[in-house]
Short mmCIF file of all heavy atoms in Angstrom, two decimals:
data_model
loop_
_atom_site.label_atom_id
_atom_site.label_comp_id
_atom_site.label_asym_id
_atom_site.label_seq_id
_atom_site.Cartn_x
_atom_site.Cartn_y
_atom_site.Cartn_z
N ALA W 1 -0.58 20.60 7.02
CA ALA W 1 0.05 19.72 8.01
C ALA W 1 -0.96 18.75 8.60
O ALA W 1 -0.66 17.56 8.79
CB ALA W 1 0.70 20.56 9.11
N LEU W 2 -2.18 19.24 8.85
CA LEU W 2 -3.20 18.35 9.41
C LEU W 2 -3.59 17.28 8.41
O LEU W 2 -3.73 16.10 8.79
CB LEU W 2 -4.43 19.16 9.82
CG LEU W 2 -5.53 18.35 10.52
CD1 LEU W 2 -5.04 17.82 11.87
CD2 LEU W 2 -6.79 19.19 10.72
N ARG W 3 -3.76 17.65 7.14
CA ARG W 3 -4.10 16.65 6.13
C ARG W 3 -2.95 15.65 5.94
O ARG W 3 -3.20 14.46 5.75
CB ARG W 3 -4.44 17.32 4.81
CG ARG W 3 -5.76 18.06 4.75
CD ARG W 3 -7.00 17.25 5.01
NE ARG W 3 -7.05 15.92 4.46
CZ ARG W 3 -8.18 15.22 4.31
NH1 ARG W 3 -9.36 15.76 4.66
NH2 ARG W 3 -8.16 13.99 3.84
N ALA W 4 -1.73 16.11 6.02
CA ALA W 4 -0.60 15.20 5.93
C ALA W 4 -0.60 14.21 7.09
O ALA W 4 -0.28 13.02 6.92
CB ALA W 4 0.72 15.98 5.90
N GLU W 5 -0.98 14.69 8.27
CA GLU W 5 -1.06 13.80 9.43
C GLU W 5 -2.19 12.79 9.26
O GLU W 5 -2.04 11.62 9.65
CB GLU W 5 -1.28 14.63 10.70
CG GLU W 5 -1.43 13.82 11.99
CD GLU W 5 -0.20 13.02 12.36
OE1 GLU W 5 0.88 13.22 11.74
OE2 GLU W 5 -0.30 12.18 13.28
N VAL W 6 -3.31 13.20 8.67
CA VAL W 6 -4.39 12.26 8.39
C VAL W 6 -3.91 11.15 7.46
O VAL W 6 -4.18 9.97 7.69
CB VAL W 6 -5.60 13.00 7.76
CG1 VAL W 6 -6.60 12.01 7.16
CG2 VAL W 6 -6.29 13.88 8.80
N GLU W 7 -3.17 11.52 6.42
CA GLU W 7 -2.66 10.51 5.49
C GLU W 7 -1.64 9.60 6.16
O GLU W 7 -1.61 8.39 5.92
CB GLU W 7 -2.06 11.18 4.25
CG GLU W 7 -3.07 11.94 3.41
CD GLU W 7 -4.26 11.10 2.98
OE1 GLU W 7 -4.06 9.92 2.59
OE2 GLU W 7 -5.39 11.60 3.03
N ARG W 8 -0.80 10.19 7.01
CA ARG W 8 0.19 9.37 7.72
C ARG W 8 -0.49 8.35 8.61
O ARG W 8 -0.14 7.17 8.61
CB ARG W 8 1.13 10.26 8.55
CG ARG W 8 2.29 9.50 9.19
CD ARG W 8 2.95 10.28 10.31
NE ARG W 8 2.06 10.45 11.44
CZ ARG W 8 1.81 9.47 12.34
NH1 ARG W 8 2.37 8.27 12.22
NH2 ARG W 8 1.00 9.71 13.36
N ARG W 9 -1.48 8.80 9.37
CA ARG W 9 -2.21 7.89 10.25
C ARG W 9 -2.95 6.82 9.44
O ARG W 9 -3.00 5.66 9.83
CB ARG W 9 -3.20 8.65 11.12
CG ARG W 9 -2.60 9.44 12.27
CD ARG W 9 -3.69 10.03 13.14
NE ARG W 9 -3.16 10.84 14.22
CZ ARG W 9 -2.77 10.36 15.40
NH1 ARG W 9 -2.86 9.05 15.63
NH2 ARG W 9 -2.30 11.16 16.34
N THR W 10 -3.53 7.24 8.32
CA THR W 10 -4.25 6.29 7.47
C THR W 10 -3.31 5.19 6.98
O THR W 10 -3.65 4.00 7.03
CB THR W 10 -4.88 7.02 6.28
OG1 THR W 10 -5.80 8.00 6.75
CG2 THR W 10 -5.62 6.05 5.37
N ASP W 11 -2.15 5.58 6.49
CA ASP W 11 -1.17 4.60 6.03
C ASP W 11 -0.72 3.69 7.17
O ASP W 11 -0.57 2.48 6.99
CB ASP W 11 0.04 5.30 5.41
CG ASP W 11 -0.28 5.94 4.07
OD1 ASP W 11 -1.30 5.56 3.46
OD2 ASP W 11 0.49 6.81 3.63
N GLU W 12 -0.50 4.28 8.32
CA GLU W 12 -0.05 3.51 9.48
C GLU W 12 -1.10 2.48 9.88
O GLU W 12 -0.80 1.31 10.14
CB GLU W 12 0.24 4.46 10.63
CG GLU W 12 0.84 3.82 11.86
CD GLU W 12 1.14 4.86 12.94
OE1 GLU W 12 0.17 5.35 13.56
OE2 GLU W 12 2.32 5.18 13.13
N LEU W 13 -2.36 2.92 9.92
CA LEU W 13 -3.46 2.01 10.29
C LEU W 13 -3.71 0.96 9.23
O LEU W 13 -4.26 -0.11 9.53
CB LEU W 13 -4.73 2.83 10.55
CG LEU W 13 -4.73 3.70 11.80
CD1 LEU W 13 -5.92 4.66 11.79
CD2 LEU W 13 -4.75 2.84 13.06
N GLY W 14 -3.34 1.24 7.99
CA GLY W 14 -3.56 0.29 6.91
C GLY W 14 -2.38 -0.61 6.62
O GLY W 14 -2.42 -1.42 5.68
N ALA W 15 -1.31 -0.50 7.40
CA ALA W 15 -0.07 -1.21 7.07
C ALA W 15 -0.07 -2.68 7.48
O ALA W 15 0.73 -3.46 6.97
CB ALA W 15 1.11 -0.51 7.75
N GLY W 16 -0.97 -3.08 8.40
CA GLY W 16 -0.93 -4.43 8.93
C GLY W 16 -0.93 -5.54 7.90
O GLY W 16 -0.07 -6.46 7.96
N PRO W 17 -1.83 -5.55 6.92
CA PRO W 17 -1.84 -6.63 5.94
C PRO W 17 -0.54 -6.74 5.15
O PRO W 17 -0.11 -7.84 4.80
CB PRO W 17 -3.01 -6.25 5.02
CG PRO W 17 -3.91 -5.42 5.87
CD PRO W 17 -2.99 -4.65 6.76
N TRP W 18 0.09 -5.60 4.90
CA TRP W 18 1.32 -5.62 4.11
C TRP W 18 2.50 -6.07 4.95
O TRP W 18 3.44 -6.71 4.43
CB TRP W 18 1.54 -4.24 3.49
CG TRP W 18 0.31 -3.82 2.76
CD1 TRP W 18 -0.53 -2.79 3.07
CD2 TRP W 18 -0.29 -4.48 1.65
NE1 TRP W 18 -1.60 -2.77 2.21
CE2 TRP W 18 -1.48 -3.80 1.33
CE3 TRP W 18 0.07 -5.60 0.89
CZ2 TRP W 18 -2.31 -4.18 0.27
CZ3 TRP W 18 -0.76 -5.99 -0.16
CH2 TRP W 18 -1.93 -5.29 -0.46
N GLY W 19 2.45 -5.77 6.23
CA GLY W 19 3.47 -6.32 7.12
C GLY W 19 3.36 -7.83 7.19
O GLY W 19 4.38 -8.54 7.23
N ALA W 20 2.13 -8.35 7.20
CA ALA W 20 1.93 -9.79 7.25
C ALA W 20 2.38 -10.45 5.96
O ALA W 20 2.95 -11.55 5.97
CB ALA W 20 0.46 -10.10 7.52
N LEU W 21 2.12 -9.80 4.83
CA LEU W 21 2.54 -10.37 3.54
C LEU W 21 4.05 -10.29 3.37
O LEU W 21 4.65 -11.14 2.71
CB LEU W 21 1.84 -9.62 2.40
CG LEU W 21 2.01 -10.19 0.99
CD1 LEU W 21 1.50 -11.63 0.90
CD2 LEU W 21 1.30 -9.31 -0.03
N GLY W 22 4.66 -9.30 3.99
CA GLY W 22 6.11 -9.15 3.93
C GLY W 22 6.56 -8.35 2.73
O GLY W 22 5.83 -8.24 1.73
N PRO W 23 7.77 -7.79 2.79
CA PRO W 23 8.25 -6.94 1.69
C PRO W 23 8.38 -7.67 0.37
O PRO W 23 8.07 -7.11 -0.69
CB PRO W 23 9.60 -6.42 2.20
CG PRO W 23 10.00 -7.35 3.30
CD PRO W 23 8.73 -7.84 3.91
N ASP W 24 8.83 -8.92 0.40
CA ASP W 24 8.99 -9.66 -0.86
C ASP W 24 7.64 -9.99 -1.48
O ASP W 24 7.44 -9.82 -2.69
CB ASP W 24 9.78 -10.94 -0.62
CG ASP W 24 11.24 -10.69 -0.26
OD1 ASP W 24 11.72 -9.56 -0.53
OD2 ASP W 24 11.88 -11.60 0.29
N GLY W 25 6.70 -10.45 -0.65
CA GLY W 25 5.38 -10.77 -1.17
C GLY W 25 4.66 -9.53 -1.67
O GLY W 25 3.98 -9.57 -2.70
N THR W 26 4.81 -8.41 -0.95
CA THR W 26 4.17 -7.17 -1.36
C THR W 26 4.75 -6.67 -2.68
O THR W 26 4.02 -6.24 -3.58
CB THR W 26 4.33 -6.10 -0.26
OG1 THR W 26 3.73 -6.58 0.95
CG2 THR W 26 3.66 -4.80 -0.67
N ALA W 27 6.09 -6.72 -2.81
CA ALA W 27 6.73 -6.29 -4.05
C ALA W 27 6.31 -7.18 -5.22
O ALA W 27 6.09 -6.69 -6.34
CB ALA W 27 8.25 -6.31 -3.88
N ARG W 28 6.22 -8.48 -4.96
CA ARG W 28 5.80 -9.39 -6.03
C ARG W 28 4.37 -9.10 -6.46
O ARG W 28 4.07 -9.08 -7.66
CB ARG W 28 5.92 -10.84 -5.54
CG ARG W 28 5.43 -11.89 -6.53
CD ARG W 28 6.20 -11.85 -7.84
NE ARG W 28 5.76 -12.90 -8.75
CZ ARG W 28 6.02 -12.92 -10.06
NH1 ARG W 28 6.72 -11.93 -10.61
NH2 ARG W 28 5.60 -13.91 -10.82
N LEU W 29 3.49 -8.84 -5.51
CA LEU W 29 2.11 -8.52 -5.85
C LEU W 29 2.05 -7.22 -6.65
O LEU W 29 1.31 -7.15 -7.64
CB LEU W 29 1.26 -8.40 -4.58
CG LEU W 29 -0.20 -7.99 -4.78
CD1 LEU W 29 -0.93 -8.95 -5.72
CD2 LEU W 29 -0.92 -7.90 -3.44
N ALA W 30 2.81 -6.23 -6.25
CA ALA W 30 2.83 -4.97 -7.00
C ALA W 30 3.26 -5.21 -8.44
O ALA W 30 2.67 -4.66 -9.39
CB ALA W 30 3.76 -3.97 -6.32
N ASP W 31 4.28 -6.03 -8.64
CA ASP W 31 4.74 -6.33 -10.00
C ASP W 31 3.65 -7.04 -10.81
O ASP W 31 3.42 -6.73 -11.98
CB ASP W 31 6.00 -7.19 -9.96
CG ASP W 31 7.23 -6.43 -9.50
OD1 ASP W 31 7.20 -5.18 -9.54
OD2 ASP W 31 8.21 -7.07 -9.09
N LEU W 32 3.00 -7.99 -10.18
CA LEU W 32 1.98 -8.77 -10.88
C LEU W 32 0.76 -7.92 -11.25
O LEU W 32 0.13 -8.15 -12.28
CB LEU W 32 1.53 -9.95 -10.02
CG LEU W 32 2.56 -11.07 -9.83
CD1 LEU W 32 2.12 -11.98 -8.68
CD2 LEU W 32 2.71 -11.88 -11.12
N LEU W 33 0.42 -6.96 -10.39
CA LEU W 33 -0.78 -6.17 -10.62
C LEU W 33 -0.61 -5.14 -11.73
O LEU W 33 -1.61 -4.65 -12.27
CB LEU W 33 -1.17 -5.43 -9.33
CG LEU W 33 -1.73 -6.28 -8.19
CD1 LEU W 33 -1.99 -5.40 -6.97
CD2 LEU W 33 -3.01 -6.99 -8.60
N GLY W 34 0.63 -4.82 -12.07
CA GLY W 34 0.88 -3.71 -12.99
C GLY W 34 0.09 -3.77 -14.28
O GLY W 34 -0.61 -2.81 -14.65
N GLU W 35 0.13 -4.88 -14.99
CA GLU W 35 -0.54 -4.94 -16.29
C GLU W 35 -2.06 -4.87 -16.14
O GLU W 35 -2.75 -4.29 -16.99
CB GLU W 35 -0.15 -6.22 -17.03
CG GLU W 35 -0.62 -7.51 -16.37
CD GLU W 35 -0.47 -8.73 -17.30
OE1 GLU W 35 -1.12 -8.76 -18.36
OE2 GLU W 35 0.32 -9.64 -16.94
N PHE W 36 -2.58 -5.43 -15.05
CA PHE W 36 -4.03 -5.42 -14.84
C PHE W 36 -4.50 -4.02 -14.44
O PHE W 36 -5.57 -3.57 -14.85
CB PHE W 36 -4.41 -6.47 -13.81
CG PHE W 36 -3.98 -7.86 -14.21
CD1 PHE W 36 -2.87 -8.47 -13.64
CD2 PHE W 36 -4.67 -8.54 -15.20
CE1 PHE W 36 -2.46 -9.72 -14.02
CE2 PHE W 36 -4.27 -9.81 -15.60
CZ PHE W 36 -3.16 -10.40 -15.01
N TRP W 37 -3.70 -3.34 -13.64
CA TRP W 37 -3.98 -1.96 -13.25
C TRP W 37 -3.98 -1.05 -14.47
O TRP W 37 -4.89 -0.24 -14.66
CB TRP W 37 -2.90 -1.54 -12.24
CG TRP W 37 -2.94 -0.14 -11.77
CD1 TRP W 37 -3.77 0.39 -10.83
CD2 TRP W 37 -2.06 0.93 -12.17
NE1 TRP W 37 -3.48 1.73 -10.61
CE2 TRP W 37 -2.43 2.07 -11.42
CE3 TRP W 37 -1.00 1.02 -13.07
CZ2 TRP W 37 -1.78 3.29 -11.57
CZ3 TRP W 37 -0.35 2.24 -13.22
CH2 TRP W 37 -0.74 3.35 -12.47
N VAL W 38 -2.98 -1.21 -15.33
CA VAL W 38 -2.89 -0.40 -16.54
C VAL W 38 -4.11 -0.64 -17.43
O VAL W 38 -4.68 0.30 -18.01
CB VAL W 38 -1.59 -0.69 -17.30
CG1 VAL W 38 -1.63 -0.10 -18.71
CG2 VAL W 38 -0.39 -0.14 -16.53
N ALA W 39 -4.54 -1.90 -17.53
CA ALA W 39 -5.69 -2.22 -18.38
C ALA W 39 -6.96 -1.59 -17.85
O ALA W 39 -7.79 -1.10 -18.62
CB ALA W 39 -5.85 -3.73 -18.50
#
C-alpha cells in the first residue's frame, strides 16, 4: 500500500506537463512515439 501511494503521488506530481499538452496532444504523441519506442 505504501509503494502504491508512492507511485500515485509520483504520477500526480508528474502530471502537469501532460495536462498542459492536453488529452489530444498527449494521445497524438503516444501514437507517434510507438514505432520509435519499439525500435
Side-chain angles (χ1 to χ4, degrees):
L2 185 65
R3 288 300 320 198
E5 178 63 10
V6 167
E7 295 305 318
R8 186 197 67 77
R9 285 186 182 274
T10 300
D11 289 342
E12 186 178 73
L13 290 168
W18 308 113
L21 188 59
D24 292 342
T26 301
R28 177 60 177 164
L29 177 57
D31 288 342
L32 290 166
L33 289 177
E35 65 168 297
F36 302 104
W37 177 78
V38 167

